[in-house]
Amino acid sequence: MKVNSLCLQLLLPFLIITGAQAQQITVDSGATQVKKDTSFLKLFRGTKKYQCSIASVVVPAAMLGYGIATFEYGPLRNLDHTTKNEIREDNSTFHTKIDDWLRYTPALSVYALNAMGIQGAHNFRDRTIILGISSLLMMGTVGGVKTLSHRQRPDGSTFNSFPSGHTATSFMGAEFMRQEYKDVSPWYGVYGYAVATATGVLRMYNNRHWLSDVVAGAGLGILSAKAAYWVFPKMEQIWAKKEGRNSMHPIAMPTYSPDTKSIGVSVVFFPGS
């Protein structure tokens, strides 16, 4: 199985989004100015429009690339095993379920802060749409790569180790939190990423994931959030043109059933601004 090729095919949406954002928008009919979409900008509570650059995705893309490289490059794969052995040497009986809940903490913290009156970049409706897009991208890609890579977990239980879904969820939430509160204080982002890092470390200490699973999951989670912040303005502009202010806006929210291990989508309608 050519794992690298299959993984890269699944990551094509992120590559398209990054490349499209890097291009300059040209005006048609010989126009020299681009009109601002004021109906969209007023939803941002005075914050700047999100800009996704090539530089901003280099690190998460490299993290994901590192994980993929372990399927072909022996020394990197050996690092997975030596890291596991070092962790298990002094923590052979370690087990906790905290990571099952910790992965949701960064994203939920955004709503908690907003409930306490600390306003982020977006209102409730808009950030919920962004989080929904992020989750759909993350879960769809993680699920597909897990199936195609067929990597055995360190504890030998199943063959869906790569990449770490817990870590991807947590880092997606951390980037979501950073984007929402980076103009309020950079420490909110530091907190989110600290929680996400702890989640990834606990996955290794629980002997559920290899180092490369965690690193790749982190990169994938960050890329998912960045992609959602780039896609959302485009969607908002389309809704503003087609539906009007008093219309109902659909929000696709991801759902997951732990019993059947299946992913679904629920569509919720929110009133327009």
Side-chain angles (χ1 to χ4, degrees), residues 144-167:
V145 175
K146 277 181 175 291
T147 300
L148 292 170
S149 60
H150 199 64
R151 172 179 283 179
Q152 189 175 28
R153 291 183 182 270
D155 61 4
S157 58
T158 57
F159 286 85
N160 60 348
S161 185
F162 182 87
S164 170
H166 282 64
T167 308

Side-chain angles (χ1 to χ4, degrees), residues 29-66:
S29 303
T32 58
Q33 295 181 347
V34 179
K35 295 182 179 180
K36 294 182 178 180
D37 187 355
T38 56
S39 64
F40 163 69
L41 293 177
K42 66 184 180 182
L43 299 176
F44 275 79
R45 299 174 183 249
T47 60
K48 296 180 180 179
K49 185 177 179 181
Y50 175 76
Q51 296 293 332
C52 177
S53 64
I54 295 295
S56 69
V57 300
V58 167
V59 173
M63 295 167 70
L64 184 56
Y66 168 84

Side-chain angles (χ1 to χ4, degrees), residues 219-258:
L220 183 55
I222 297 170
L223 287 173
S224 298
K226 286 183 176 294
Y229 272 93
W230 186 83
V231 168
F232 173 69
K234 315 303 177 186
M235 297 174 60
E236 188 66 20
Q237 289 173 354
I238 294 173
W239 290 337
K241 291 178 180 179
K242 292 185 176 181
E243 300 177 3
R245 294 183 60 185
N246 298 322
S247 61
M248 300 295 287
H249 288 179
I251 300 178
M253 297 297 296
T255 60
Y256 176 73
S257 173

Side-chain angles (χ1 to χ4, degrees), residues 59-180:
V59 173
M63 295 167 70
L64 184 56
Y66 168 84
I68 295 175
T70 59
F71 285 88
E72 299 292 341
Y73 189 58
L76 291 181
R77 184 60 177 145
N78 291 337
L79 182 60
D80 281 343
H81 290 277
T82 56
T83 302
K84 171 195 170 181
N85 293 337
E86 290 179 2
I87 291 175
R88 302 304 294 174
E89 183 177 357
D90 298 321
N91 304 275
S92 59
T93 60
F94 180 88
H95 179 72
T96 181
K97 292 186 178 180
I98 295 177
D99 48 337
D100 289 336
W101 304 99
L102 201 60
R103 56 178 160 167
Y104 301 117
T105 300
L108 293 177
S109 295
V110 173
Y111 290 89
L113 288 169
N114 194 254
M116 291 187 293
I118 305 175
Q119 300 297 329
H122 296 85
N123 57 35
F124 176 84
R125 187 203 70 173
D126 295 344
R127 68 169 172 268
T128 302
I129 295 174
I130 291 170
L131 181 59
I133 296 171
S134 302
S135 299
L136 287 171
L137 288 171
M138 183 273 297
M139 290 194 301
T141 307
V142 167
V145 175
K146 277 181 175 291
T147 300
L148 292 170
S149 60
H150 199 64
R151 172 179 283 179
Q152 189 175 28
R153 291 183 182 270
D155 61 4
S157 58
T158 57
F159 286 85
N160 60 348
S161 185
F162 182 87
S164 170
H166 282 64
T167 308
T169 300
S170 191
F171 273 87
M172 177 197 72
E175 179 63 16
F176 172 62
M177 187 176 197
R178 189 186 76 83
Q179 292 294 340
E180 288 297 306

